[in-house]
Amino acid sequence: MSAELYVEVQQFYARQMPLLEERRLEEFLQTLTEDGSIEHRPGGWKLEGRQQLLEEMTARRGDAERPLVEEISAREAREKNIAYYDGLVYRYWFDRMRVEPVDDDTLHVRYQAIVSMTDRSGKVSFEPTTTVEDVLVRVDGVLHTRSRVVTHDTPNWADKIHNPS
């Protein structure tokens, strides 16, 4: 693998993830293929296609300007249809990225990730650490995410309380 390809992948994520952090969901989803998927393991959920992803992300991402959401887990927020990121600024942090070309238009990318959440008072909390496996493909010469599998390092990750007091 060339240094140029590795930098291209880094730049892809540098463009993609701020769109999610800034809650620019429709723009974020344009960085996925039309049938792109995001899956959370273990014991989580899999969402497929831009429309299903947009509906779920719109319901959960919330608004950093709204009051801080009550203490709630990801699973409970999905069950009660609550935006659990209300009142929070969140950031995605990636490390130890491994890029493996499959063919001229397909890459397997594996990395470790953590999400930080900061409330208005400046208090920072973290989601459980994860390993992420992406399949990136070229569409008209531009990288897109075809699939993302997020494997959480704790089996009960979806029951962790967001931003505990």
Side-chain angles (χ1 to χ4, degrees):
M1 178 193 55
S2 69
E4 291 82 10
L5 178 60
Y6 192 82
V7 169
E8 180 185 11
V9 171
Q10 290 277 352
Q11 290 298 304
F12 169 75
Y13 289 116
R15 286 187 306 275
Q16 183 189 57
M17 297 315 294
L19 296 171
L20 186 57
E21 294 168 353
E22 296 165 12
R23 295 169 167 91
R24 294 163 51 191
L25 302 178
E26 290 182 7
E27 291 173 77
F28 169 79
L29 290 170
Q30 291 302 311
T31 69
L32 278 71
T33 59
E34 188 68 40
D35 62 345
S37 65
I38 299 177
E39 180 177 1
H40 287 266
R41 295 179 183 168
W45 40 84
K46 181 177 183 178
L47 303 168
E48 297 180 276
R50 288 180 183 160
Q51 187 58 43
Q52 186 180 34
L53 285 159
L54 180 61
E55 290 169 8
E56 177 67 17
M57 290 176 154
T58 300
R60 302 298 149 244
R61 292 293 153 181
D63 186 335
E65 300 303 316
R66 289 187 192 145
L68 186 64
V69 70
E70 64 185 81
E71 290 186 350
I72 193 164
S73 71
R75 186 179 320 282
E76 187 179 6
R78 289 189 90 231
E79 290 168 358
K80 294 182 175 182
N81 198 27
I82 293 173
Y84 54 81
Y85 285 117
D86 272 350
L88 297 170
V89 172
Y90 52 91
R91 301 280 182 240
Y92 291 83
W93 306 93
F94 296 169
D95 189 29
R96 291 179 280 181
M97 188 172 295
R98 186 175 69 218
V99 178
E100 297 176 351
V102 175
D103 57 40
D104 289 344
D105 293 321
T106 308
L107 304 170
H108 284 174
V109 183
R110 180 183 170 101
Y111 52 92
Q112 277 62 55
I114 191 166
V115 178
S116 64
M117 300 170 293
T118 306
D119 68 17
R120 286 187 187 151
S121 73
K123 186 178 121 216
V124 178
S125 60
F126 296 93
E127 296 281 2
T129 53
T130 63
T131 298
V132 181
E133 295 182 71
D134 283 354
V135 175
L136 302 183
V137 296
R138 290 190 190 284
V139 178
D140 297 325
V142 178
L143 289 175
H144 289 73
T145 304
R146 177 183 288 155
S147 66
R148 175 167 293 159
V149 176
V150 181
T151 303
H152 298 261
D153 291 341
T154 175
N156 298 320
W157 65 272
D159 299 311
K160 176 196 173 284
I161 299 299
H162 284 264
N163 203 33
S165 55

